[in-house]
Amino acid sequence: MAKNILVCDDAAFMRMMIKDILTKNGYNVAGEAENGAKAVEKYNELKPDLVLMDITMPEMDGIQALKKIKESDPGAMVIMCSAMGQQAMVIESIQSGAKDFIVKPFQADRVLEAVKKVNDTYCFKQYKFLSAVFDRTYSVCFRSGGYVSDHEVDCGIPEGEKNGCKSGSN
Protein backbone atom coordinates (compact mmCIF):
# COMPACT_ATOMS: atom_id res chain seq x y z
CA MET A 1 0.00 0.00 0.00
CA ALA A 2 1.23 3.50 -0.84
CA LYS A 3 1.92 4.77 2.64
CA ASN A 4 4.80 7.21 2.07
CA ILE A 5 3.86 10.07 -0.21
CA LEU A 6 5.84 12.98 -1.63
CA VAL A 7 3.78 16.16 -2.11
CA CYS A 8 5.04 18.62 -4.76
CA ASP A 9 3.42 22.02 -5.28
CA ASP A 10 4.83 25.53 -5.47
CA ALA A 11 2.03 26.86 -3.23
CA ALA A 12 2.72 26.14 0.45
CA PHE A 13 -1.02 26.34 1.13
CA MET A 14 -1.74 23.55 -1.38
CA ARG A 15 0.99 21.36 0.08
CA MET A 16 -0.44 21.92 3.55
CA MET A 17 -3.98 21.14 2.36
CA ILE A 18 -2.92 17.90 0.61
CA LYS A 19 -0.76 16.89 3.57
CA ASP A 20 -3.71 17.42 5.91
CA ILE A 21 -6.03 15.28 3.76
CA LEU A 22 -3.50 12.47 3.54
CA THR A 23 -2.39 12.39 7.19
CA LYS A 24 -5.99 12.44 8.45
CA ASN A 25 -6.56 9.30 6.38
CA GLY A 26 -3.60 7.24 7.53
CA TYR A 27 -0.98 8.21 4.97
CA ASN A 28 2.50 9.51 5.76
CA VAL A 29 3.80 12.54 3.90
CA ALA A 30 7.45 11.55 3.55
CA GLY A 31 8.46 14.91 2.11
CA GLU A 32 7.49 18.05 0.28
CA ALA A 33 8.92 19.91 -2.71
CA GLU A 34 8.19 23.43 -3.94
CA ASN A 35 9.36 22.96 -7.54
CA GLY A 36 10.07 20.25 -10.08
CA ALA A 37 13.82 20.18 -9.52
CA LYS A 38 13.34 19.67 -5.76
CA ALA A 39 10.70 17.01 -6.52
CA VAL A 40 13.22 14.96 -8.51
CA GLU A 41 15.86 15.44 -5.81
CA LYS A 42 13.46 14.46 -3.01
CA TYR A 43 12.15 11.48 -4.97
CA ASN A 44 15.67 10.10 -5.42
CA GLU A 45 16.45 10.74 -1.75
CA LEU A 46 13.22 9.45 -0.15
CA LYS A 47 12.02 6.80 -2.65
CA PRO A 48 8.34 7.39 -1.73
CA ASP A 49 5.58 4.96 -2.66
CA LEU A 50 3.61 7.69 -4.44
CA VAL A 51 4.03 11.29 -5.62
CA LEU A 52 1.34 13.95 -5.86
CA MET A 53 2.73 16.61 -8.22
CA ASP A 54 1.48 19.96 -9.47
CA ILE A 55 1.93 20.49 -13.20
CA THR A 56 2.74 24.21 -13.13
CA MET A 57 5.76 24.91 -10.93
CA PRO A 58 8.84 27.13 -11.22
CA GLU A 59 12.38 26.01 -12.06
CA MET A 60 11.16 22.73 -13.59
CA ASP A 61 7.50 22.04 -14.28
CA GLY A 62 5.72 18.92 -13.07
CA ILE A 63 5.77 17.20 -16.46
CA GLN A 64 9.55 17.60 -16.79
CA ALA A 65 9.95 16.36 -13.20
CA LEU A 66 7.68 13.39 -13.94
CA LYS A 67 9.80 12.45 -16.96
CA LYS A 68 13.04 12.68 -14.92
CA ILE A 69 11.55 10.57 -12.12
CA LYS A 70 10.32 7.94 -14.61
CA GLU A 71 13.79 7.85 -16.24
CA SER A 72 15.37 6.86 -12.93
CA ASP A 73 12.44 4.72 -11.74
CA PRO A 74 10.08 3.47 -14.47
CA GLY A 75 7.82 2.00 -11.78
CA ALA A 76 7.29 5.35 -10.03
CA MET A 77 3.67 6.11 -9.20
CA VAL A 78 2.80 9.76 -9.80
CA ILE A 79 -0.54 11.53 -9.64
CA MET A 80 -0.58 14.96 -11.29
CA CYS A 81 -2.49 17.98 -9.99
CA SER A 82 -3.68 20.50 -12.56
CA ALA A 83 -5.77 23.64 -12.73
CA MET A 84 -8.91 23.79 -14.84
CA GLY A 85 -8.15 24.36 -18.52
CA GLN A 86 -4.87 22.39 -18.62
CA GLN A 87 -6.24 19.45 -20.60
CA ALA A 88 -3.29 19.32 -23.01
CA MET A 89 -0.86 19.18 -20.07
CA VAL A 90 -2.91 16.49 -18.35
CA ILE A 91 -2.82 14.38 -21.53
CA GLU A 92 0.95 14.91 -21.85
CA SER A 93 1.48 13.89 -18.23
CA ILE A 94 -0.57 10.69 -18.63
CA GLN A 95 1.38 9.90 -21.82
CA SER A 96 4.58 10.51 -19.84
CA GLY A 97 3.64 7.96 -17.20
CA ALA A 98 1.39 9.66 -14.63
CA LYS A 99 -1.07 7.17 -13.15
CA ASP A 100 -3.92 9.65 -12.57
CA PHE A 101 -4.65 13.34 -12.20
CA ILE A 102 -6.58 15.60 -9.86
CA VAL A 103 -8.11 18.88 -11.03
CA LYS A 104 -7.82 21.93 -8.77
CA PRO A 105 -9.65 23.09 -6.82
CA PHE A 106 -10.13 19.58 -5.52
CA GLN A 107 -12.14 17.93 -2.81
CA ALA A 108 -10.62 15.64 -0.20
CA ASP A 109 -12.62 12.66 -1.46
CA ARG A 110 -11.19 13.06 -4.99
CA VAL A 111 -7.62 13.13 -3.66
CA LEU A 112 -8.26 9.99 -1.62
CA GLU A 113 -10.04 8.31 -4.55
CA ALA A 114 -7.03 8.91 -6.83
CA VAL A 115 -4.58 7.62 -4.22
CA LYS A 116 -6.73 4.54 -3.59
CA LYS A 117 -7.16 3.87 -7.32
CA VAL A 118 -3.43 4.03 -8.00
CA ASN A 119 -2.70 1.97 -4.89
CA ASP A 120 -5.28 -0.69 -5.78
CA THR A 121 -3.91 -0.96 -9.33
CA TYR A 122 -0.37 -1.33 -7.98
CA CYS A 123 -1.42 -3.98 -5.44
CA PHE A 124 -3.35 -5.93 -8.09
CA LYS A 125 -0.32 -5.92 -10.41
CA GLN A 126 1.93 -7.06 -7.54
CA TYR A 127 -0.55 -9.84 -6.71
CA LYS A 128 -0.66 -11.01 -10.35
CA PHE A 129 3.15 -10.95 -10.56
CA LEU A 130 3.63 -12.88 -7.31
CA SER A 131 0.93 -15.39 -8.30
CA ALA A 132 2.70 -16.00 -11.62
CA VAL A 133 6.05 -16.45 -9.87
CA PHE A 134 4.49 -18.86 -7.37
CA ASP A 135 2.73 -20.85 -10.10
CA ARG A 136 5.93 -21.07 -12.13
CA THR A 137 8.08 -22.04 -9.13
CA TYR A 138 5.52 -24.65 -8.02
CA SER A 139 5.40 -26.24 -11.47
CA VAL A 140 9.23 -26.31 -11.66
CA CYS A 141 9.42 -27.85 -8.18
CA PHE A 142 6.79 -30.45 -9.05
CA ARG A 143 8.56 -31.46 -12.29
CA SER A 144 11.94 -31.72 -10.62
CA GLY A 145 10.74 -33.96 -7.80
CA GLY A 146 10.95 -31.25 -5.16
CA TYR A 147 14.37 -29.81 -5.96
CA VAL A 148 14.69 -26.24 -7.28
CA SER A 149 18.15 -25.01 -8.30
CA ASP A 150 19.49 -21.54 -7.59
CA HIS A 151 19.12 -20.79 -11.30
CA GLU A 152 15.44 -21.69 -11.22
CA VAL A 153 14.86 -19.50 -8.17
CA ASP A 154 16.77 -16.56 -9.71
CA CYS A 155 15.09 -16.78 -13.11
CA GLY A 156 11.81 -18.52 -12.40
CA ILE A 157 12.45 -20.99 -15.22
CA PRO A 158 13.48 -24.63 -15.33
CA GLU A 159 17.20 -25.36 -15.65
CA GLY A 160 18.20 -25.45 -19.30
CA GLU A 161 15.40 -23.26 -20.71
CA LYS A 162 16.74 -20.47 -22.89
CA ASN A 163 14.78 -17.27 -22.52
CA GLY A 164 17.28 -14.51 -21.96
CA CYS A 165 17.82 -15.14 -18.26
CA LYS A 166 20.65 -12.97 -16.99
CA SER A 167 21.82 -15.27 -14.19
CA GLY A 168 24.60 -16.59 -16.43
CA SER A 169 23.70 -20.26 -16.29
CA ASN A 170 21.83 -20.47 -19.60
Side-chain angles (χ1 to χ4, degrees), residues 4 42 47 81 90:
N4 294 306
K42 289 275 189 178
K47 300 291 187 209
C81 303
V90 168

Side-chain angles (χ1 to χ4, degrees), residues 20-38:
D20 187 55
I21 291 167
L22 295 171
T23 56
K24 284 182 178 176
N25 287 278
Y27 296 97
N28 176 52
V29 174
E32 299 179 33
E34 65 276 5
N35 62 54
K38 290 276 189 201

Side-chain angles (χ1 to χ4, degrees), residues 1-9 18-19 21-23 25-33 39-40 42-54 66 69-70 73-81 94 97-102 110-123:
M1 180 167 163
K3 279 290 192 182
N4 294 306
I5 301 174
L6 175 62
V7 177
C8 311
D9 199 300
I18 294 169
K19 184 176 180 177
I21 291 167
L22 295 171
T23 56
N25 287 278
Y27 296 97
N28 176 52
V29 174
E32 299 179 33
V40 174
K42 289 275 189 178
Y43 183 86
N44 291 327
E45 174 190 330
L46 301 171
K47 300 291 187 209
D49 301 315
L50 179 66
V51 179
L52 284 162
M53 180 144 25
D54 188 19
L66 167 67
I69 289 170
K70 295 296 270 185
D73 181 4
M77 296 193 304
V78 181
I79 297 172
M80 302 301 284
C81 303
I94 296 296
K99 302 298 182 193
D100 201 353
F101 66 93
I102 305 165
R110 176 60 186 120
V111 173
L112 296 170
E113 175 189 320
V115 170
K116 183 180 181 338
K117 175 184 155 191
V118 169
N119 186 59
D120 288 352
T121 301
Y122 172 76
C123 288

Side-chain angles (χ1 to χ4, degrees), residues 7 9-20 32 106:
V7 177
D9 199 300
D10 57 322
F13 174 75
M14 293 303 288
R15 290 194 311 270
M16 184 181 71
M17 196 165 117
I18 294 169
K19 184 176 180 177
D20 187 55
E32 299 179 33
F106 48 74

Side-chain angles (χ1 to χ4, degrees), residues 81-112:
C81 303
S82 71
M84 295 292 279
Q86 292 184 315
Q87 291 88 346
M89 292 175 135
V90 168
I91 291 168
E92 184 180 354
S93 62
I94 296 296
Q95 290 172 338
S96 298
K99 302 298 182 193
D100 201 353
F101 66 93
I102 305 165
V103 178
K104 295 178 187 178
F106 48 74
Q107 301 297 316
D109 60 341
R110 176 60 186 120
V111 173
L112 296 170

